[in-house]
Amino acid sequence: MIKRTFAKFFHLGLKKLGLIALALAVTAGVILLGVTVRAQQPVTISFLVRAVEAEQMQGLADQFMAENPDIRLEMVRGPNAADAVENLYTTSFLLGDSPYDILFSDVVWIPKFAAAGWLLDLSDRVSEAELADFLEADVAAGLYQGGFYRMPFRSDMGMLYYRTDLLEQVGLDPPETFSDLIAASEAIQAQTDVNWGFVWQGAQYEGIVTNYVELVAGYGGFWIDPDTLEVGLDQPAGIQAAEFMKAMIGEGISPPGVTNYIEEDSLRQFENGNAAFLRNWPYVWAEANREGSPVAGNIGLRPMVHDDGQQSAACLGGWGFGISATTPHPEEAWRVVEFFTSPGPMKEFVTEFAYVPSRRALFTDPDVLAEFPHFEQLLEVAETAVPRPPVGQYAQLSDILQRYLSATISNQMTPQVAMERAAGESRRVLGVDG
Ligand code: GLC
């Protein structure tokens, strides 16, 4: 009896022990599993990007995440105006501990961000030989005081789009000069049911500056000479460029609403068939020619118009990747940058959206050319495009120009007065007045 009880007790004891052991094992397992699950949690790499472009980059982002399950890429959708995005990045860096691991950067931002110490120097990660495959101006935009802060992803240059069908209707060739553009616009507005001649970007933001850069160069002048810091705004060409903008609206060639247009607004007008000419970036080609676009197949593209005896000028634009100095994940961030800027993904992006590649070889790539034959000529335009001044005070200088151009095209100031004041303020910012 005692034996049996003991045996029973012993048996129960064993059972209990077994259960405890099992419980312990399960707990340990859960803990271990927890650790492993946590170790497999992907690292999030985040950056801010204009909403239109985030849509377009999503395909590449998904591809990257499929190939790199340890990284989750978060593209935060920002406003579509380039400098509005810059302001958001600036605020986040100023506050310290920016939530962005990557700076998806316009071609004009680097001197300011690098000088502030907000970016990692990428020189050790990429060789000069590797950079030689990229457009020189795109690489130059990433240089600051011996460091390299921005890997080029795509370039940009302003172009003039025209409606081939409308020009044919009025029997004119595509315009080369400012007066050709005016004459063709007036003829088309008079003889067809198209309302507007020329649409462009006149809102008070970075885009109006890029339009101005092309106009002032088309009159043979300049905004700011990057080597001497001389300001050209109040010189004859500087004033003529502002007069041209104002005259376009005053003479009814451009709609009054152009003073609020950014890229997308002007593109809509052109795409809906409401305007004969459009100044915009190369991506418009794919968008306006897409299936279902009312103007598909009736579009021509050429360098921007200029004054008699002068040359066309394209403003250099473009976007690339920098890495935030405070990111806890610089290695993962670099893998993202490497992916987007490598030949395969860049080619995919370019072929789908007609964006201008930063890698030179893609301009003559047979697949790219099969899709966009005009890319062969774009290489020359890219190599001669006019950069905006690469100075640390760029954002302030751009802001001054934006304000005064906006004031003159909305009839608050004559072009002469506006450009004189803009020149004075710019010289003070640059420390070259007096
Ligand atoms: C485009 C250009 C960029 C420019 C902006 C102005 O995005 O690539 O360089 O600053 O337009 O709107």
Side-chain angles (χ1 to χ4, degrees), residues 25-36:
V26 169
T27 319
V30 168
I31 291 173
L32 269 179
L33 199 73
V35 170
T36 351

Side-chain angles (χ1 to χ4, degrees), residues 31-220:
I31 291 173
L32 269 179
L33 199 73
V35 170
T36 351
V37 166
R38 216 169 302 137
Q40 281 175 357
Q41 281 281 328
V43 161
T44 299
I45 295 295
S46 155
F47 64 91
L48 182 68
V49 50
R50 297 180 317 122
V52 263
E53 202 157 349
E55 297 293 320
Q56 297 163 329
M57 289 166 81
Q58 193 58 51
L60 284 185
D62 291 342
Q63 190 179 322
F64 174 82
M65 288 189 277
E67 288 168 17
N68 298 272
D70 58 324
I71 301 179
R72 195 174 76 84
L73 193 53
E74 186 185 48
M75 291 191 296
V76 180
R77 267 87 172 139
N80 284 332
D83 45 347
V85 175
E86 200 225 293
N87 288 339
L88 292 173
Y89 269 123
T90 300
T91 312
S92 83
F93 283 112
L94 276 175
L95 291 173
D97 204 18
S98 163
Y100 305 118
D101 305 276
I102 284 177
L103 173 82
F104 188 58
S105 168
D106 196 345
V107 72
V108 283
W109 297 353
I110 293 304
K112 168 175 149 184
F113 283 74
W118 293 336
L119 299 177
L120 290 184
D121 185 353
L122 307 175
S123 329
D124 295 344
R125 298 184 184 262
V126 53
S127 70
E128 272 183 36
E130 284 168 302
L131 289 179
D133 291 342
F134 291 81
L135 293 171
E136 219 179 304
D138 286 10
V139 173
L143 297 172
Y144 181 75
Q145 294 194 347
F148 181 64
Y149 299 91
R150 174 187 176 273
M151 277 294 282
F153 175 49
R154 65 174 187 86
S155 197
D156 236 354
M157 64 266 317
M159 309 286 299
L160 183 73
Y161 292 85
Y162 55 89
R163 287 275 302 280
T164 46
D165 53 339
L166 296 176
L167 281 174
E168 207 170 297
Q169 242 173 290
V170 297
L172 289 173
D173 288 331
E176 279 186 23
T177 63
F178 293 129
S179 16
D180 292 345
L181 177 78
I182 295 171
S185 294
E186 285 171 347
I188 290 169
Q189 284 174 282
Q191 296 168 44
T192 74
D193 56 4
V194 170
N195 287 338
W196 304 109
F198 179 43
V199 285
W200 42 286
Q201 296 83 48
Q204 190 181 326
Y205 82 118
E206 185 62 27
I208 193 171
V209 168
T210 60
N211 283 244
Y212 179 83
V213 164
E214 287 157 10
L215 297 175
V216 71
Y219 279 108

